[in-house]
Amino acid sequence: MSTSDRLPRFPLYIPSKGRSEKRLTSRALTEQGVPHYLVVEPQEVDDYQRATRGSLATVLPLDLSFKDRYELCDDLGLSKSTGPGPARNFIWEHSRAAGHPWHWVMDDNIQRFYRCHQNAKIQVLTPAFWRAMEDFVLRYENVAMAGPNYEMFAKSRDDLPPFITNTRIYSCNLIRNDLPLRWRGRYNEDTILSLDMLKAGWCTIQFNAFLQKKLWTQTIGGGNTAEFYAKEGTAPKSEMLARVHPDVTRLVWKFNRHHHHVDYKRFKQPLRRKPDAVMQSPTADAMRLVTRG
């Protein structure tokens, strides 16, 4: 299998703000040998271009008009940060305009990625990580979105299935481009989009076989930390989700802060395999455990 055949089929994007010197996800992708886009606001383009010299990142300026037409799900307008939703919708349109049927979009604070095998979490340094998830998703005709689970939620002592269906996809999303849906909401836009897709009858796939190690919310500067969480905590984001999807969401208090709890059990739509689906992919052979030394 050639190196190019191991690369992702679809483009990878990272919306980022105020983190030109950190770029955790971009560094991880460069280490894997994966070209990708960093989408930043126009005033930060020069900072990111200087910081990414020698990497596999291409800096892409955000079209700010996407903020003006973004559905915020509240009546506060542009009086406070819109969150990353407008950039995510810009990414969706950018990839669609380039003729791609799917795209990846991910948070900028993911430290590394893992293959979970027999409950061992093994850091992945090959682009085949992305190709393997794409190969799996493309076997089915009714998948809207997929992505790797959080490493922290895949506990080594648990009996983990390789994937689960019809749940939320957080922080690292493979999205089908021809859907009539888009990101919305000032907060919790990932959960809102997951529920919008599930209520429309689509399936989502969350992989336990493939994992992401993401920093906890509020543990790194930049992004939404200063605009949202440092000032107002997590209550507004949970309250927004309860307003937008009240039939499946309730507010809870745990870990000394507000959270939301979503009931995904009502979504039982099965995966529909394509008649011509190829069930054995050569990508699997490209993911071999080797010792670095």
Side-chain angles (χ1 to χ4, degrees):
M1 186 177 188
S2 68
T3 301
S4 61
D5 289 337
R6 299 178 188 179
L7 288 172
R9 286 184 173 84
F10 310 121
L12 288 82
Y13 297 83
I14 308 167
S16 188
K17 184 177 182 181
R19 292 173 174 166
S20 61
E21 297 303 319
K22 299 180 178 75
R23 307 183 328 280
L24 294 181
T25 310
S26 180
R27 293 178 191 271
L29 293 179
T30 293
E31 189 176 20
Q32 290 182 347
V34 178
H36 55 280
Y37 293 101
L38 272 166
V39 177
V40 305
E41 295 191 1
Q43 71 274 12
E44 292 192 295
V45 166
D46 289 345
D47 291 340
Y48 275 87
Q49 286 181 334
R50 282 192 296 269
T52 55
R53 287 172 185 159
S55 77
L56 295 179
T58 298
V59 178
L60 191 64
L62 169 65
D63 178 350
L64 295 179
S65 69
F66 278 78
K67 288 190 175 186
D68 297 328
R69 55 182 186 267
Y70 184 65
E71 184 180 349
L72 291 162
C73 300
D74 64 23
D75 57 2
L76 299 176
L78 299 180
S79 63
K80 60 192 300 187
S81 173
T82 62
R88 292 172 184 252
N89 280 341
F90 166 76
I91 286 164
W92 197 323
E93 292 307 313
H94 185 272
S95 63
R96 190 181 64 84
H100 298 289
W102 295 72
H103 72 277
W104 289 94
V105 59
M106 57 200 74
D107 290 356
D108 65 356
N109 58 347
I110 303 172
Q111 289 182 307
R112 58 186 64 95
F113 300 92
Y114 297 95
R115 169 77 165 95
C116 185
H117 178 63
Q118 296 181 347
N119 281 46
K121 301 170 187 176
I122 304 160
Q123 185 179 357
V124 177
L125 298 174
T126 169
F129 175 86
W130 307 98
R131 188 73 170 237
M133 286 185 281
E134 293 171 347
D135 287 348
F136 188 90
V137 166
L138 291 176
R139 295 170 184 166
Y140 302 95
E141 62 185 15
N142 63 330
V143 175
M145 183 163 62
N149 197 2
Y150 286 159
E151 177 269 342
M152 69 186 86
F153 293 158
K155 296 181 172 56
S156 298
R157 65 179 179 270
D158 293 343
D159 184 13
L160 297 170
F163 67 92
I164 61 174
T165 59
N166 303 330
T167 187
R168 87 291 184 275
I169 310 299
Y170 282 168
S171 301
C172 185
N173 309 66
L174 174 61
I175 299 174
R176 179 172 172 154
N177 278 349
D178 63 356
L179 300 175
L181 303 167
R182 288 297 182 270
W183 297 91
R184 63 190 183 113
R186 192 184 301 274
Y187 317 91
N188 265 324
E189 68 282 350
D190 43 15
T191 308
I192 290 173
L193 181 62
S194 297
L195 288 170
D196 286 346
M197 290 173 170
L198 292 170
K199 287 185 177 182
W202 292 92
C203 290
T204 61
I205 297 175
Q206 182 193 77
F207 292 101
N208 288 320
F210 305 101
L211 303 170
Q212 56 176 310
K213 183 175 178 62
K214 180 181 180 291
L215 293 186
W216 286 96
T217 300
Q218 305 180 59
T219 59
I220 183 172
N224 290 322
T225 300
E227 287 90 341
F228 290 156
Y229 307 124
K231 296 179 181 178
E232 58 192 38
T234 56
K237 67 191 287 280
S238 295
E239 291 166 354
M240 172 167 285
L241 182 59
R243 288 198 307 272
V244 175
H245 286 291
D247 54 328
V248 292
T249 306
R250 59 184 174 86
L251 301 179
V252 297
W253 177 265
K254 58 182 179 180
F255 309 125
N256 294 315
R257 57 190 175 116
H258 290 92
H259 290 267
H260 55 268
H261 176 79
V262 178
D263 179 12
Y264 291 96
K265 294 179 181 178
R266 62 174 281 186
F267 304 110
K268 302 182 184 299
Q269 49 263 41
L271 293 171
R272 294 198 305 268
R273 187 185 300 174
K274 296 177 181 176
D276 59 348
V278 177
M279 302 307 293
Q280 180 60 40
S281 167
T283 304
D285 297 330
M287 297 186 69
R288 296 179 290 108
L289 181 60
V290 297
T291 303
R292 300 180 72 187

